[in-house]
Amino acid sequence: MKQNRVPVIAIVGRPNVGKSTLFNRIIGRQDAIVHGTPGVTRDRHYELTDWNGCQFMLVDTGGYIPQSHDSVDAAVREQAELAIDEADAVLFVIDAGSGLTIAEQQITDHLKRSDKRCVLVINKADNPRTTQTVMADEQIYRLGLSDPVCISAISGQNVGDLLDRVLTLVGEGFLKSVDEIVYESNLLQLAVIGKPNVGKSSFVNAVTGENKLIVSDTPGTTRDSIHTDITFDGQRFRLIDTAGLRRRAKVKENIEFYSTLRTLKTIQECDVAVLLIDAVEGLADQDIRVLEEARQLKKGLLIAVNKWDLIEKDDKTYLNYERRLKQAIEPTTYVPVVFISSLTRQRVTRVLELAKRVYGERNKTISTSRLNRFLAEAIARNHPPAVRGKDIRINYITQIKSRPPVFALFSNEPALLPPNYRQYLEHRMRETFGFAGVPLSLTFRKKSKDRVA
């Protein structure tokens, strides 16, 4: 059965073999990835990228240093092992000029135990003589892995061949693109996401009224994504409890990073994602990162503030909390918020009601005539500014897709339309048509000559 997500490919190896250089070469970028959302600006170690029309999630890791008692080295070593566990395929990178080390043998042993698809990558093979020497080295073949691929990450030599090899390994059983995700008719797939120990399994149990999932106070109890099918208010739901991680890492960042990675796998499957946050601890950076990833994947979104029963309240607590929350998640302020307690089951069915509403909004189709009446009114209220002495006109709008909704707007100068005016149009569209909890895609195109304005 084909998995409803794209594959995850991890890059592992000891320090200074060129893993990050290879990562940057594949994603086509050398700099850190920056988002406008607060808390999301960072050097990311994963990226959704593509090769020859096939998308995949690429993961970089730190250098693997065996038998070191340094806490950072131990954490990095564990990070590599977690990466292997989470990946569908592994690029195992070694240095052409350094020979094999104990680290390579330990990574090989872990790869064999994990039974993961793997491509052995010999980096820094910058000339034919080096390649010939490496390919004749018996030690390489004693590892018992695949035939090596010699590359130069810094120049890009043979990186295309490498990607062809690894994507051939994982091609069967996975989507080629997140756009190919298959949605079953009238089945709302609801991903329950959030950082460890926020109460995801307890929430699913509260909704179902049965202890179908293991519930524990120990973070990371859930090992695999668990699907629970229910019917509520005439709507079929599939609740997907995000898989957790075994609490092995000694450095918190490793667990948070890989729980985020596993959450991204789950988000790809869903129609709507409900982000659970702890009412006492509040919104964490990890929550904002996951929310931003779900937005970029164009999933329906809502936030459930769990453990609300533990908060001392007055008549303004709810409004003040919601206001601070909306400020923190800007610009995704269109996301509905509900305050719940999985323990007492307070308002847990409200989450399902909101999810059903967001699901309907995500599937919504607006007629072209209504859209163009809206556009005329929006322009009459606030005309696009002139840029570089050019008068910008937007002539036409039409919806080209739903689930998620995508709109095409035709203009004489789409490239000159300022970002703040694009934001204005999205804001007015939400005021007019709703789309609560739904990321919108507004694409601006050059007006075709044969279209009548």
Side-chain angles (χ1 to χ4, degrees), residues 200-202 205 211-217 221-223 226 241:
K200 297 185 293 293
S201 297
S202 297
N205 288 342
N211 291 326
K212 289 187 177 180
L213 307 180
I214 299 171
V215 181
S216 169
D217 291 333
T221 301
T222 307
R223 183 61 183 146
I226 299 173
D241 183 24

Side-chain angles (χ1 to χ4, degrees), residues 303-339:
I303 295 175
V305 182
N306 194 22
K307 307 180 184 179
W308 191 240
D309 54 307
L310 301 181
I311 298 293
E312 292 187 13
K313 308 173 193 63
D314 58 31
D315 58 343
K316 297 181 180 178
T317 303
Y318 165 84
L319 292 175
N320 289 336
Y321 199 109
E322 184 179 42
R323 185 181 68 254
R324 291 194 301 270
L325 189 60
K326 293 280 188 177
Q327 289 172 347
I329 64 173
E330 232 175 345
T332 51
T333 53
Y334 55 83
V335 176
V337 179
V338 59
F339 295 82

Side-chain angles (χ1 to χ4, degrees), residues 66 80 87 106 114 121 125 134 145 160 166 170 183 185 213 258 276 279 298 311 318 320 338 341 360 362 387 409 445:
Q106 289 193 350
S114 71
V121 183
V134 169
L145 299 173
V166 71
V170 300
Y183 299 104
S185 178
L213 307 180
Y258 284 101
L276 258 65
K298 305 300 181 184
I311 298 293
Y318 165 84
N320 289 336
V338 59
S341 169
R362 189 169 184 259
V387 178
L409 295 93
R445 303 179 179 181

